[in-house]
């Protein structure tokens, strides 16, 4: 099914970006790789056929290809012309088209019937936008005669029958409930029953999964249908090493009025997706049975161990409800789920390094050096502050698996001066493992904790706190021991090959406050103390 309003979405984005460029040409750079297509699945009859697909990209050069010779492709500015030969075989055939902008790629599925008639609507469902307007739906590829039979007269929508499409002119739905009706399409003696739906103004809103790689079209299409409007765009700034871009949509909801999508333009993955309410009514609303019914109806199942965590296996999304009582706010955080590619071996037991040295007033730099000497480790680096204090020490071990330990110390000066009795004590240390897959696995440029290592952590009473795009944070309530787990390459560890790094520290208030505050607090500590990356 092709919804013709993709042209309107494409034009809206281009105009929006153009307006911003006019006003901010000296500071805004739109040359980060972005590519999306208006259709990801196209269908033809058995006759020769032709379709035009819009390619929305800022890539200077993009190429297209298909493995089958019966598909012919022509590029024209931001459009792709697709032609197919007649299908003289007895069965349907299919292939794909790759639209490649270098670091941004989209795949289009192509199917061709063995019949001369096609009447196909995806999932037998047509969804009209909440705020009404005109929607065109292509249903009749070869222009054959057909009839439409609505099951009831609906005053809120007018249907105009065209030769190859249906035109829906709908009024806005300001009610709280979705409205719908059945529509029978009769062609060639065959009936196809289609459900036409229009969402209402819900008290609650959920974000979509924009995919991996991030699909601008999918996000815009989802928000347009439910009545969302793009109100703000925050551009990346590579000159400042800032590669995230932000899309903010206003929603029809009276409580959750905005949805934020933050996208990493280097990794082509969402980094933060959330919606929030800044009034007490929003906090009260997420505690009602109506909220539980709403999220369940939309595929989210509540976690038995964590009542504020929900999982949607269909959309491959998780949702966390984070309430901050002090300012009557609630934030719904959404994260993509990544299916682990295979089983991984993990540690037989959880060993977290020299905890006897961590955060002890009677264990100083000399004790760390003595311990590492007893382990036959080699010092490979130290970091000295402007006030000549030792900030960090890095050691290479003789262990082929645990290849390095790096210690960070409390200091007198700096941005975060320590209490007198803690100066020169260990504030945090990091363990580097040569086999990252003992605890993490890689998807694209991101690393995720394996299910096997997660099970080992939870069996040792650690709880998952959150993920900030780099660190997966776990903590234990009994002693507030906190672990930040990440993957990557370090110049001074493992010969420059990837390692898993576990940063170990105590955070007495790790379980206090909102999830957003906890993650921000841990991230600031790790950023302040990281060296050698």
């Amino acid at each position: 099914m092709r919804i013709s309003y993709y042209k309107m979405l494409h034009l809206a984005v281009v105009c929006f970006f153009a307006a911003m460029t006019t006003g901010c040409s000296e500071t805004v750079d739109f040359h980060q790789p972005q590519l999306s297509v208006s259709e990801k699945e196209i269908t033809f009859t058995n006759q020769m056929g032709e379709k035009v697909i819009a390619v929305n990209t800022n890539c200077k050069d993009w190429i297209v290809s298909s493995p089958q010779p019966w598909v012919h492709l022509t590029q024209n500015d931001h459009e792709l012309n697709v032609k197919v030969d007649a299908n003289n075989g007895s069965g349907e055939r299919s292939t794909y088209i790759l639209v490649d902008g270098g670091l941004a790629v989209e795949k289009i599925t192509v199917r061709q019937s063995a019949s001369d008639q096609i009447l196909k609507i995806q999932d037998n469902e047509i969804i009209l936008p909440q705020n009404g307007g005109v929607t065109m739906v292509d249903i009749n590829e070869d222009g054959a005669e057909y009839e439409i039979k609505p099951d009831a007269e609906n005053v809120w929508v007018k249907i105009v029958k065209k030769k190859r499409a249906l035109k829906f002119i709908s009024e806005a739905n300001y009610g709280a409930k979705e409205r719908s009706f059945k529509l029978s399409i009769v062609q060639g003696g065959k009936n196809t029953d289609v459900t036409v739906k229009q969402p209402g103004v819900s008290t609650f809103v959920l974000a979509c999964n924009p995919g991996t790689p991030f699909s601008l079209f999918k996000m815009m299409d989802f928000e347009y249908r439910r009545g969302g409007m793009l109100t703000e765009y925050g551009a990346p700034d590579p000159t400042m090493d800032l590669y995230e871009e932000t899309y903010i949509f206003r929603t029809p909801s009276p409580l959750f009025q905005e949805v934020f999508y933050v996208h990493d333009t280097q990794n082509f993955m969402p980094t933060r997706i959330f919606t929030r309410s800044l009034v007490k009514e929003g906090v009260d609303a997420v505690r009602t049975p109506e909220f539980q019914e709403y999220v369940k109806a939309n595929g989210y199942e509540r976690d038995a161990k964590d009542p504020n965590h929900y999982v949607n296996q269909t959309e491959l999304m998780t949702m966390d409800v984070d309430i901050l009582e002090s300012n009557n706010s609630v934030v719904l955080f959404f994260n993509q789920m990544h299916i682990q590619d295979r089983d991984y071996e993990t540690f037989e037991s959880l060993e977290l390094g020299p905890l006897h040295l961590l955060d002890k007033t009677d264990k100083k730099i000399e004790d760390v050096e003595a311990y590492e000497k007893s382990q036959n480790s080699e010092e490979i680096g130290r970091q000295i502050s402007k006030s000549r204090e030792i900030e960090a020490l890095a050691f290479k071990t003789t262990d082929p698996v645990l290849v390095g330990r790096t210690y960070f110390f409390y200091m007198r000066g700096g941005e975060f001066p320590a209490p007198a009795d803690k100066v020169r004590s260990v504030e945090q240390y990091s363990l580097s493992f040569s086999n990252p897959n003992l605890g993490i696995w890689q998807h694209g440029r991101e690393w995720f904790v394996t299910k096997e290592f997660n099970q080992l952590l939870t069996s040792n009473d650690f709880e998952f706190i959150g993920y900030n795009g780099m660190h997966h944070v776990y903590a234990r309530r009994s002693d507030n021991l906190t672990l930040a787990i990440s993957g990557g390459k370090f110049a001074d560890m493992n010969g420059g090959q990837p390692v898993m790094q576990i940063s170990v520290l105590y955070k007495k208030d790790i379980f206090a406050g909102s999830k957003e505050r906890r993650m921000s607090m841990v991230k600031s500590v790790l950023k302040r103390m990281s060296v050698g990356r």
Side-chain angles (χ1 to χ4, degrees), residues 25-148:
S25 59
E26 294 183 359
T27 59
V28 179
D29 182 4
F30 292 103
H31 295 288
Q32 298 306 307
Q34 294 293 323
L35 190 148
S36 62
V37 293
S38 58
E39 297 181 73
K40 290 192 175 182
E41 181 175 334
I42 53 177
T43 307
F44 296 89
T45 68
N46 65 348
Q47 304 299 314
M48 292 178 60
E50 181 177 352
K51 288 181 180 290
V52 177
I53 294 175
V55 179
N56 182 16
T57 182
N58 59 5
C59 299
K60 182 178 180 180
D61 297 304
W62 53 278
I63 60 174
V64 293
S65 60
S66 177
Q68 293 296 335
W70 51 272
V71 177
H72 308 280
L73 306 171
T74 304
Q75 294 173 238
N76 181 20
D77 194 18
H78 282 270
E79 290 186 337
L80 170 62
N81 184 275
V82 183
K83 293 183 179 180
V84 295
D85 298 333
N87 182 7
N88 298 319
S90 59
E92 179 185 277
R93 59 185 180 181
S94 64
T95 185
Y96 61 87
I97 299 168
L98 287 182
V99 184
D100 189 347
L103 295 177
V105 180
E106 287 283 9
K107 183 178 181 180
I108 303 169
T109 301
V110 182
R111 292 188 174 86
Q112 188 176 31
S113 172
S115 167
D116 62 358
Q117 290 187 350
I118 291 180
L119 181 60
K120 185 177 182 180
I121 295 177
Q122 187 176 0
D123 300 325
N124 286 351
E125 189 173 82
I126 297 171
I127 301 178
L128 306 180
Q130 175 272 332
N131 55 4
V134 176
T135 304
M136 295 289 291
V137 180
D138 290 346
I139 64 168
N140 193 19
E141 299 292 344
D142 62 349
E145 290 296 323
Y146 70 98
E147 296 181 64
I148 58 171

Side-chain angles (χ1 to χ4, degrees), residues 225-255:
R225 287 177 180 272
R226 68 122 164 256
M229 178 180 295
L230 182 64
T231 58
E232 188 174 341
Y233 172 77
D237 186 357
T239 62
M240 299 294 291
D241 290 329
L242 300 175
Y243 294 94
E244 289 184 334
E245 62 180 5
T246 304
Y247 300 86
I248 304 176
F249 293 86
R250 178 161 296 277
T251 79
S253 169
L255 297 180

Side-chain angles (χ1 to χ4, degrees), residues 511-530:
F511 289 99
S514 68
K515 177 180 177 180
E516 186 176 24
R517 176 183 174 277
R518 297 194 301 264
M519 290 302 296
S520 176
M521 173 183 61
V522 173
K523 184 177 181 180
S524 66
V525 171
L526 294 170
K527 181 178 180 181
R528 172 168 59 91
M529 305 186 73
S530 62

